[in-house]
Amino acid sequence: MVRRAWQRMLSGRRLDLLDPTPFDIEVEDIAHGLAFVARWNGQTVGDWPYSVAEHSLLVEEIFGATAPDPTTRWRLAALLHDAPEYVIGDMISPVKTVLGEGYGALDARLAAAVHLRFGLPATLPREVKAAIKKADRISAWLEATRIAGFSVAEADRIFGRPPDGVLAGLVLRLRPPMETRAAFLRRHSELAE
């Protein structure tokens, strides 16, 4: 029996997980997939799961408010920071730790293909990646304390306390996947112009 290492996308593209190419990546597939992937393994309050697409929109917003150089190009990178999860799903950090380097290599291959597809460097500059990671951790702290059942002390210990003033005005949205997909596509279109 031949082992399959590719995924058929709704666009009709066939994405090879072992050798992904930018030609097989479509933003519509990313938006659709991420809108249906639940963060926190679905262990959040609310009538809808908190999706990776919602998280990505929030991280891009936080990045825009906190990064030293939040150019449109790097904001696009922030929006796409979890794009590989449209095909491999969102794994909580403890699972990633157990899986080790294999998961990280798969994620990196997919991220490089996504970046190239949308005109970004395959590997982001270190300072940009660090600023996106900072925004990601702020988002994780907010999600953990508001919808995932973590105490503030626990979130402080795991994710680090967000700097004063950063959380002002930030809103966590839990909405139907198709609304989230549309919001993700709108934001991508704004940043890609």
Side-chain angles (χ1 to χ4, degrees):
M1 176 155 100
V2 177
R3 299 181 92 181
R4 181 171 66 93
W6 54 268
Q7 170 72 44
R8 176 73 63 198
M9 299 297 156
L10 288 178
S11 65
R13 300 284 189 190
R14 190 173 101 166
L15 183 65
D16 184 333
L17 298 177
L18 300 177
D19 188 23
T21 74
F23 301 110
D24 292 325
I25 294 169
E26 298 293 339
V27 70
E28 293 81 5
D29 292 332
I30 293 171
H32 185 83
L34 295 183
F36 281 90
V37 173
R39 294 255 308 153
W40 306 97
N41 280 344
Q43 299 300 306
T44 54
V45 298
D47 293 334
W48 298 100
Y50 186 71
S51 72
V52 175
E54 288 287 5
H55 164 76
S56 297
L57 288 162
L58 182 60
V59 168
E60 186 267 324
E61 180 182 353
I62 295 168
F63 176 83
T66 61
D69 185 25
T71 64
T72 301
R73 181 179 200 206
W74 300 139
R75 288 184 80 138
L76 178 61
L79 180 69
L80 296 169
H81 82 283
D82 277 340
E85 295 178 8
Y86 86 105
V87 67
I88 60 176
D90 180 34
M91 296 204 189
I92 58 174
S93 296
V95 173
K96 291 177 185 176
T97 300
V98 170
L99 294 177
E101 292 179 18
Y103 177 85
L106 175 61
D107 185 76
R109 277 194 302 273
L110 288 165
V114 167
H115 290 159
L116 291 173
R117 168 65 177 88
F118 299 108
L120 299 167
T123 302
L124 298 177
R126 201 172 26 245
E127 63 277 2
V128 172
K129 190 169 182 170
I132 292 170
K133 187 63 181 170
K134 176 182 175 184
D136 191 34
R137 290 179 71 80
I138 292 168
S139 177
W141 186 95
L142 185 64
E143 295 163 20
T145 58
R146 301 250 176 105
I147 60 173
F150 286 61
S151 70
V152 169
E154 188 177 30
D156 285 353
R157 190 172 58 257
I158 296 169
F159 306 108
R161 181 77 171 202
D164 289 339
V166 170
L167 301 178
L170 294 178
V171 176
L172 293 180
R173 293 179 181 87
L174 287 86
R175 51 188 164 176
M178 299 319 248
E179 288 181 27
T180 304
R181 181 182 75 177
F184 187 96
L185 287 170
R186 267 192 313 276
R187 189 61 182 143
H188 179 272
S189 178
E190 293 166 0
L191 294 170
E193 286 180 356

